[in-house]
Amino acid sequence: MFYALIGEDAPGSLEARMASRPAHLARLEALRDEGRLLAAGPMPAIDAPDPGAAGFVGSLVVAEFADQASAERWLAEDPYVKQGVFARTTVRPFKKVLP
């Protein structure tokens, strides 16, 4: 089943986000290579593809996991979690309907 993994950025975490981004992307690329990644990306703090110093308010990953507990464990090991980028995380089942 797919799960939506949502991380909400802590205030002032842009520097930590940028420092841990390569390790974060490597984990997403592994999901992609396994054919389990549906979508992933950050949510800019302003209405712009590159928010610059405004940074981001969070990230969304939609990926396939065996169960919710597995998705939660995966997210708990993410560099953005471990480096304090995310102040809060949420994992919810996701039912893909379209496309």
Side-chain angles (χ1 to χ4, degrees):
M1 179 163 193
F2 285 110
Y3 293 86
L5 290 67
I6 303 161
E8 298 176 35
D9 284 23
S13 63
L14 183 58
E15 186 175 323
R17 174 184 270 274
M18 300 316 292
S20 52
R21 186 171 187 264
H24 170 75
L25 288 177
R27 296 183 83 234
L28 293 172
E29 289 165 352
L31 286 177
R32 178 201 61 204
D33 294 348
E34 294 167 5
R36 296 170 44 204
L37 184 63
L38 183 63
M43 295 178 275
I46 59 173
D47 188 11
D50 180 359
F56 301 89
V57 296
S59 293
L60 169 68
V61 174
V62 180
E64 188 174 22
F65 292 91
D67 52 41
Q68 186 160 344
S70 298
E72 290 170 351
R73 282 191 300 274
W74 187 91
L75 184 55
E77 292 300 315
D78 191 82
Y80 284 0
V81 171
K82 292 187 168 234
Q83 297 303 315
V85 174
F86 293 153
R88 188 177 113 153
T89 60
T90 306
V91 176
R92 297 282 184 254
F94 179 83
K95 181 179 176 184
K96 182 179 184 277
V97 175
L98 295 171

